Amino acid sequence: MPFSFLNPWLWLGALALAAPLWLHLRRKQETNLLPFSALRFLDDQPEPRASPWRLRNLVLFVLRALALLALVGAFAWPYVHEGNTAPIKESRVYVLDNTLSHQANDGFGHDRDRILRDLGKAAVDIQVAVVELSSTPRVLVSFGDDRAIAKRKLQELQPSFQRGSYLAAFRQASSLLANSLGGVKRIIFLGDNQENQWNENVNTPPFLRDLEIEMPKAGPPLLPNLSLSEPRVQRIFLGDKSLVNFTVKLSHAGEAKAANIVLRANEQVIFNRAVELEKQPETILLQAQWEAEPALWTRGEVTVEGVPDALAADNRVFFSLAPVVEGKVALLAQSHYLRLALSPEIMRGQWATRVLEPSKLSGELASNQDADVLVLESNYLQSADARKLLFRYLSNGRGVILLVNRLTPAIKGCLHELGFEAEGTVTAGKQNAEKFMFVFSNHPIFHPFLSPDYGNLMDVKVSKYIRLKTSQAMPLVFSEKGNGLFFQGTKTQGKLFVLPFGLDREHSTWPVHQTFIPFLDLTLQTARAEDPTPTNFEPGEVALVQLPAGSPVREVVLRDATMGSPLPSDGREARGEGNAAPAITRAPVEQGRAQVRLPDKPGLYASSYDDRDQIEKVFSINPSPKESQLVYVDASAALKVWQVAESKGQSLKPKVGLPARAKISLAGILQQRLWWWMELAGLGALMLEMVVADLKRRAES
Amino acid sequence: MPPAAQTLSERFDPKMLAALEGLDFKARYVMEGFLSGLHDSPFHGFSVEFSDYRNYQPGDDLRHLDWRLFARTDRLCIKRYMQETNVRFYVVCDTSASMQYRGTTAWGSKLECARILAAALTWFLLKQNDAAGMVTLSGGPRVEGQVPSLTTGPRRSTLDSGHPAIPEFIRPSQRPNQFGLILRQLELLRAAGGPCLAELLQHTVRLVHRRSVILFFSDLLEPSDDVALGFKQLRFHGHEVIIFQVLDRDELEFPFTEPKVFEDLETGVRRVVSPAAARETYLERFNAFMAAYQDLFHSLEMSHCVVRTDENPWRALAVFLSERKRLK
């Protein structure tokens, strides 16, 4: 704090100084002085001179000097922060990029070391803060932290796998500087200038005002990288086999000619082989399938190795697949193929089919024992009960597969309610049957058919179908003539799949095609109501787990389920024997929901309820694929947009104002231990001086 | 040693005097102690009988007829002593600052000694049916006691606060409460202020009209020229003056040995005095001063008695009684 005569502490200190002086003068008695009545007879004697100062009592002098020094010192600088009372010249915020991409070539480590070096060199009149750029930017080091604490926090900081927002980090830094004391306010950005980061928030109103911004030096525009992303896994039943179909994207940038892929599932190596990358697109879709016990959790990971690879942290992805729970199908159809395909002999425990009697639909409605999916042919929609059943399934969030094999006004009306308009029947005949021209292969139903093992969908022919138009459904398959041959409704709560033709030989060859059974199984799987809780997340995200109404669950517990970690239950309820991995997170359930903050480290994490061992879900944590795009820009156009343009005539650099005063607060004063010690020392010296002076006076008298 | 065998000096106990509380007790202690030892002293033969009669003559004031004597003896007599031998006495006390001085061997300060003597004599006079009065000076707020001094800053002065001295006058009387009146006034006396003898004498000259006996208590530590006029005026007006000069042994003998800084009680002036070197000069000057006063009093036919504060005050009483007898 700058010295000022108007400082009330100065006057208080002066009063404290004057007190011992006054006591001293009061106490001092004139010695060697004799009052006399007849001095007139000695008027020629000399007058006394002012006696020179001489030290009469060393102990008293020392005590008084100590008291004065202690009190003066205490009131001279009552606000000590490790001796730093100088005005702040500069306030500096380091934005440290701690996203996955910045681990390339150990960029994070180098920048962290730079901050540590700067902390050691920075003068006391420079206040430093550090903002960690991650999924949620946070203030790692605040202005109030001393240098030792700041260094410790930085050294403890580990590189993360998260993706963060440059914009959020700069906003955080700007907010810090808005309340800082320095005359110069500076942001030093230590990141990799990833192109997709800067492009994400270009159109943001300016908010950086009167700040100096230092950007990192330009590096190479591109770094070589091998990465894996978007793992997808499904169960497919092919005959007697229960298969797991797995796909993953392999991205490669740079000069890598080959990469070795290793796929592990349930602690078994599914495949381990090299993939040629030369003359391959930048992104390659890898697919694998293997047999897996449907009743068990499937946990797996895929890794890629190759050189050159600037970022190794994105070379591994995780996936999991829940065990099969037998689904229930309600069938209201006459198609023999359909009945056969859904028979227990074919479905073998994946689907339990209950054939509904058209005459007993009212009882079905009354019993309210709906299956997971309703498969019905449109001719049953003539019945009001059937229509009620259809809409009940959809409104309750259950799936419906509707086969439009007949049109009547009633059926048209029902289709209209579902968002479809029937425009007539297309009868191509067997000779001119139309093939599937386009199949939405990215859809979960058709994605496995990218592998030829499940057959070729393009061989399916449809000879008679209803031409449907809709604006409330998504066509997934198109005929040669561009008509939709398979739709997914988007209007209802439950999933609706509509086939504009019947599953019989009259309409199509599909029932006898190789792809029919897998198609049916996948469609049933997709139509079945899913748990709204997703299981694939990026590091640091928050999963919202919803529980049924009235659930007694108190908390959701998260444990490490990466391969190698003990997994106490594989979908079956088991009595725990203490083999479970320790809990990583415990999220309380409030109003039927729990917010589970997922770990930063990629992997598999199992959630359970309370102290039960049964696994409810397995979350797959994989880095964002965007972090693997090591493409950099030199100059950031976004930064120029974010900065408030200076008005004409004003200097671009912020003015260096007067040193700001340190804020005075009682709490700050009370925390000044040195100040209190000096006060006590001064008072102690004063008390001791009084005692010594009193003893001396008594001795003299 | 039994009191009868003690000499006067031995009989006087300053500790006893100091232990007595109240000026009247101190006064009686002094006076009665003196009187009880009179038969041992060279001053025996005084009579304390004071009644005197003469035969009634036609024309005498019947108020002064001693009717009791008439009742007893059928003789008509007039109390002549009471009328004709009634002498007025005035106690005049110096209250300058120098009177507060008390040496290490003194039993009291000079003012204290003067006060006790004055009280004792007043008591005696009133006992003898003499009229006693008093003239003093009181000048506004005065500071009593020792002179504290500071090394720095202004001295707390013993000088008068600047207010003009106001004479306090008690008319002589034989009333029963006269002793108490004079006693109270004596107890109120405080030694403060600068030289005031000349002023005191002037007031005395102005206030005392009839021929009286002035009992003057002072240390006379002022130039004799300043006060000579006052004494001469008193003599001119026919007053008899008995001067009791109260001095301390330190003033008379200057027994100091250690060099010190002397500070005048009245003026506040300080001098560095080395007693070994200054004693001779001091005594020379002091004796000259004393001689000057003695010459003055001799020329004015005034009785002069030096009272030392380190000795018993009975010598002063003896002088007084001697003079009183002469005056009668």
Side-chain angles (χ1 to χ4, degrees):
Chain A
M1 186 174 188
F3 177 79
S4 168
F5 281 102
L6 298 179
N7 187 348
W9 289 109
L10 173 68
W11 297 105
L12 205 59
L15 192 64
L17 282 180
L21 278 173
W22 181 76
L23 287 173
H24 166 73
L25 294 174
R26 280 271 306 174
R27 195 178 300 122
K28 193 172 189 320
Q29 293 179 1
E30 189 70 34
T31 57
N32 211 32
L33 182 70
L34 179 66
F36 193 56
S37 53
L39 195 61
R40 56 192 291 267
F41 302 112
L42 294 171
D43 55 0
D44 59 343
Q45 297 297 310
E47 290 184 4
R49 296 175 189 172
S51 59
W53 289 10
R54 61 188 177 94
L55 192 62
R56 296 177 189 274
N57 192 304
L58 180 63
V59 173
L60 284 178
F61 171 77
V62 169
L63 287 171
R64 288 163 184 166
L66 276 176
L68 287 177
L69 287 173
L71 291 174
V72 166
F75 284 98
W77 82 84
Y79 313 110
V80 176
H81 291 287
E82 299 297 329
N84 178 14
T85 58
I88 304 300
K89 194 171 64 177
E90 177 184 339
S91 294
R92 186 187 295 173
V93 176
Y94 291 90
V95 177
L96 178 60
D97 187 350
N98 195 14
T99 59
L100 175 64
S101 62
H102 201 37
Q103 292 186 39
N105 291 341
D106 197 23
F108 168 79
H110 290 140
D111 287 337
R112 181 180 56 183
D113 291 342
R114 181 200 156 167
I115 299 176
L116 288 170
R117 286 194 303 272
D118 287 358
L119 279 175
K121 290 188 297 186
V124 293
D125 56 357
I126 297 176
Q127 54 176 185
V128 175
V130 178
V131 170
E132 179 198 4
L133 196 170
S134 56
S135 62
T136 306
R138 67 179 179 118
V139 179
L140 179 67
V141 174
S142 61
F143 287 130
D145 290 338
D146 63 17
R147 300 293 164 89
I149 293 174
K151 285 181 182 175
R152 180 177 57 78
K153 287 182 179 178
L154 278 165
Q155 284 161 354
E156 290 174 354
L157 186 65
Q158 297 298 320
S160 81
F161 293 83
Q162 300 175 19
R163 177 168 176 81
S165 166
Y166 283 10
L167 176 62
F170 271 86
R171 283 193 185 280
Q172 182 78 282
S174 174
S175 170
L176 272 179
L177 288 171
N179 297 321
S180 65
L181 305 173
V184 174
K185 299 178 195 294
R186 188 193 306 268
I187 294 177
I188 298 177
F189 178 68
L190 299 175
D192 52 7
N193 275 335
Q194 208 179 6
E195 182 185 29
N196 58 22
Q197 281 277 20
W198 287 116
N199 291 340
E200 270 185 0
N201 302 110
V202 173
N203 298 320
T204 300
F207 62 94
L208 296 173
R209 183 184 298 272
D210 296 333
L211 298 177
E212 295 180 9
I213 298 176
E214 180 183 317
M215 298 300 291
K217 294 179 184 176
L222 177 70
L223 286 178
N225 190 28
L226 294 172
S227 64
L228 294 168
S229 61
E230 296 184 29
R232 298 172 68 169
V233 60
Q234 286 174 289
R235 291 189 193 275
I236 296 179
F237 294 93
L238 197 62
D240 294 341
K241 297 180 185 177
S242 170
L243 300 176
V244 172
N245 185 72
F246 173 78
T247 60
V248 67
K249 288 183 180 176
L250 169 64
S251 301
H252 66 102
E255 300 171 351
K257 293 186 171 54
N260 193 66
I261 308 294
V262 179
L263 169 63
R264 295 184 181 86
N266 289 358
E267 300 180 15
Q268 289 181 351
V269 176
I270 304 301
F271 72 79
N272 180 353
R273 65 179 182 189
V275 174
E276 295 294 323
L277 299 177
E278 262 187 305
K279 298 178 183 178
Q280 293 287 346
E282 276 191 12
T283 303
I284 304 170
L285 184 67
L286 302 176
Q287 187 177 17
Q289 64 184 49
W290 64 93
E291 275 193 64
E293 175 59 46
L296 299 178
W297 277 93
T298 299
R299 296 175 295 150
E301 64 174 17
V302 185
T303 57
V304 60
E305 288 179 7
V307 287
D309 186 3
L311 183 63
D314 56 0
N315 292 1
R316 189 181 182 194
V317 291
F318 298 88
F319 60 90
S320 67
L321 188 61
V324 172
V325 175
E326 185 182 59
K328 295 177 183 172
V329 180
L331 180 62
L332 188 59
Q334 288 181 343
S335 168
H336 298 294
Y337 299 98
L338 201 54
R339 290 191 177 201
L340 181 62
L342 291 174
S343 65
E345 292 78 12
I346 300 298
M347 286 301 160
R348 292 179 184 269
Q350 291 103 1
W351 298 101
T353 304
R354 178 159 53 87
V355 179
L356 301 179
E357 293 293 331
S359 60
K360 295 180 182 178
L361 288 179
S362 57
E364 180 71 17
L365 281 170
S367 67
N368 204 19
Q369 292 181 349
D370 292 344
D372 295 321
V373 183
L374 172 64
V375 181
L376 79 160
E377 292 174 341
S378 63
N379 56 348
Y380 290 101
L381 293 180
Q382 298 272 67
S383 163
D385 289 339
R387 290 199 296 274
K388 284 182 187 175
L389 191 65
L390 166 72
F391 285 106
R392 189 171 82 179
Y393 265 74
L394 291 174
S395 61
N396 287 344
R398 299 178 190 272
V400 171
I401 299 175
L402 176 63
L403 311 173
V404 183
N405 59 350
R406 184 184 171 192
L407 273 184
T408 65
I411 295 171
K412 282 187 180 180
C414 185
L415 286 174
H416 178 76
E417 286 184 45
L418 293 174
F420 291 89
E421 300 297 333
E423 292 182 349
T425 303
V426 175
T427 307
K430 292 185 181 179
Q431 302 301 322
N432 299 319
E434 295 180 46
K435 291 183 179 179
F436 287 174
M437 183 65 185
F438 173 80
V439 174
F440 193 19
S441 60
N442 207 28
H443 195 273
I445 295 175
F446 299 108
H447 188 72
F449 292 98
L450 293 172
S451 169
D453 296 335
Y454 304 115
N456 187 3
L457 280 171
M458 300 308 179
D459 293 337
V460 174
K461 295 179 183 177
V462 179
S463 56
K464 182 182 179 184
Y465 60 90
I466 308 296
R467 189 164 61 238
L468 296 176
K469 294 292 183 187
T470 178
S471 61
Q472 298 183 27
M474 184 170 62
L476 300 178
V477 178
F478 289 92
S479 69
E480 288 175 309
K481 292 185 179 178
N483 295 320
L485 296 178
F486 185 65
F487 299 86
Q488 178 178 354
T490 57
K491 180 182 176 183
T492 56
Q493 183 178 354
K495 289 182 182 172
L496 172 65
F497 292 98
V498 176
L499 275 162
F501 54 91
L503 289 173
D504 51 51
R505 294 300 300 275
E506 179 188 354
H507 291 91
S508 168
T509 60
W510 209 358
V512 296
H513 196 265
Q514 176 190 4
T515 60
F516 181 64
I517 300 296
F519 160 76
L520 191 59
D521 175 50
L522 289 168
T523 306
L524 287 171
Q525 285 185 42
T526 309
R528 187 161 63 176
E530 293 176 352
D531 188 330
T533 306
T535 56
N536 297 316
F537 291 92
E538 293 181 5
E541 286 189 323
V542 175
L544 184 63
V545 177
Q546 293 214 342
L547 293 156
S551 170
V553 174
R554 298 184 309 275
E555 63 178 4
V556 174
V557 182
L558 199 68
R559 292 188 172 87
D560 188 0
T562 310
M563 289 193 305
S565 304
L567 200 63
S569 172
D570 290 320
R572 292 185 289 265
E573 220 171 65
R575 304 298 174 201
E577 293 180 355
N579 290 331
I584 297 172
T585 309
R586 289 179 183 270
V589 175
E590 294 176 2
Q591 297 179 348
R593 296 180 184 180
Q595 292 189 352
V596 183
R597 182 159 189 92
L598 297 168
D600 176 63
K601 183 182 174 186
L604 297 171
Y605 299 91
S607 68
S608 57
Y609 296 150
D610 295 331
D611 296 327
R612 298 179 224 163
D613 290 333
Q614 182 175 358
I615 295 175
E616 301 295 333
K617 281 189 186 302
V618 175
F619 296 105
S620 308
I621 310 298
N622 292 305
S624 169
K626 293 183 180 178
E627 288 296 305
S628 301
Q629 299 170 7
L630 304 183
V631 180
Y632 308 111
V633 291
D634 186 14
S636 170
L639 200 58
K640 294 176 186 174
V641 173
W642 295 350
Q643 279 183 305
V644 175
E646 297 289 340
S647 60
K648 292 181 181 179
Q650 288 183 354
S651 168
L652 289 176
K653 285 191 178 178
K655 295 178 184 176
V656 178
L658 292 172
R661 287 185 161 207
K663 288 185 181 176
I664 302 173
S665 68
L666 183 60
I669 293 171
L670 294 178
Q671 286 173 3
Q672 301 295 321
R673 285 183 294 177
L674 178 61
W675 185 84
W676 281 109
W677 279 118
M678 293 183 78
E679 281 287 298
L680 288 174
L683 291 174
L686 276 179
M687 289 174 64
L688 204 58
E689 184 265 349
M690 283 172 61
V691 170
V692 171
D694 187 59
L695 289 174
K696 183 172 177 292
R697 188 177 69 248
R698 288 185 187 188
E700 284 177 358
S701 64
Chain B
M1 180 182 292
Q6 289 175 325
T7 63
L8 277 174
S9 298
E10 290 169 343
R11 198 175 296 122
F12 178 75
D13 185 359
K15 290 180 184 176
M16 174 63 77
L17 185 68
L20 293 172
E21 290 191 13
L23 187 57
D24 57 340
F25 290 108
K26 293 180 193 266
R28 291 183 194 201
Y29 171 77
V30 168
M31 201 64 203
E32 290 179 356
F34 172 72
L35 293 176
S36 66
L38 274 182
H39 63 279
D40 294 331
S41 75
F43 303 106
H44 66 274
F46 283 102
S47 169
V48 296
E49 296 294 333
F50 53 85
S51 299
D52 191 10
Y53 295 95
R54 66 173 174 80
N55 292 328
Y56 173 77
Q57 297 293 334
D60 287 334
D61 191 346
L62 291 176
R63 288 180 295 178
H64 301 300
L65 204 66
D66 192 339
W67 293 104
R68 288 184 181 175
L69 183 63
F70 176 70
R72 286 203 306 268
T73 62
D74 285 335
R75 286 175 60 192
L76 289 171
C77 294
I78 296 295
K79 295 178 185 176
R80 186 177 66 178
Y81 178 79
M82 295 192 63
Q83 263 190 327
E84 297 173 357
T85 65
N86 191 9
V87 179
R88 292 168 176 255
F89 286 86
Y90 283 90
V91 170
V92 180
C93 196
D94 178 15
T95 55
S96 60
S98 60
M99 289 295 287
Q100 70 176 282
Y101 185 80
R102 174 177 176 174
T104 52
T105 59
W107 55 263
S109 67
K110 290 188 286 185
L111 180 63
E112 214 171 297
C113 178
R115 194 186 290 154
I116 293 174
L117 271 176
L121 290 174
T122 303
W123 178 80
F124 176 77
L125 291 168
L126 291 172
K127 236 0 191 181
Q128 298 297 314
N129 288 330
D130 284 325
M134 190 169 179
V135 178
T136 56
L137 282 179
S138 64
R142 291 178 176 235
V143 179
E144 181 192 9
Q146 293 287 337
V147 179
S149 60
L150 300 172
T151 55
T152 58
R155 298 196 186 92
R156 256 200 290 163
S157 174
T158 59
L159 299 178
D160 198 324
S161 62
H163 291 78
I166 301 171
E168 296 285 340
F169 178 73
I170 299 176
R171 190 178 301 280
S173 170
Q174 296 169 324
R175 291 194 299 269
N177 64 342
Q178 186 70 2
F179 181 63
L181 207 64
I182 293 175
L183 218 59
R184 273 196 296 277
Q185 189 60 31
L186 284 172
E187 285 173 346
L188 290 175
L189 292 181
R190 296 289 180 268
C196 62
L197 281 182
E199 189 180 356
L200 181 62
L201 289 170
Q202 289 301 318
H203 284 302
T204 306
V205 168
R206 183 174 59 83
L207 293 169
V208 178
H209 301 135
R210 295 173 61 174
R211 286 182 60 191
S212 306
V213 177
I214 312 295
L215 305 177
F216 194 77
F217 298 89
S218 173
D219 54 6
L220 299 178
L221 290 178
E222 289 181 33
S224 56
D225 299 336
D226 298 340
V227 302
L229 178 62
F231 284 115
K232 287 175 182 176
Q233 287 176 332
L234 286 173
R235 169 54 72 194
F236 177 76
H237 284 96
H239 303 304
E240 294 289 337
V241 183
I242 305 175
I243 296 103
F244 297 96
Q245 187 177 18
V246 185
L247 291 172
D248 192 273
R249 174 178 170 253
D250 294 347
E251 294 161 336
L252 291 162
E253 298 175 9
F254 203 75
F256 306 104
T257 56
E258 294 292 327
K260 286 185 183 291
V261 176
F262 284 63
E263 184 184 55
D264 192 282
L265 283 169
E266 292 185 359
T267 63
V269 170
R270 292 185 179 184
R271 304 284 176 189
V272 180
V273 178
S274 177
R279 179 179 297 105
E280 194 176 336
T281 306
Y282 172 85
L283 292 175
E284 186 181 330
R285 292 176 182 175
F286 184 80
N287 293 332
F289 150 80
M290 293 293 285
Y293 267 110
Q294 285 167 359
D295 290 341
L296 171 66
F297 297 137
H298 181 74
S299 67
L300 295 174
E301 295 181 354
M302 292 179 176
S303 295
H304 173 232
C305 173
V306 175
V307 182
R308 287 177 61 133
T309 55
D310 61 330
E311 293 178 354
N312 68 75
W314 289 334
R315 184 171 175 276
L317 295 177
V319 168
F320 164 74
L321 288 176
S322 170
E323 282 299 312
R324 185 173 178 278
K325 183 180 179 184
R326 182 181 68 79
L327 289 170
K328 283 177 66 177

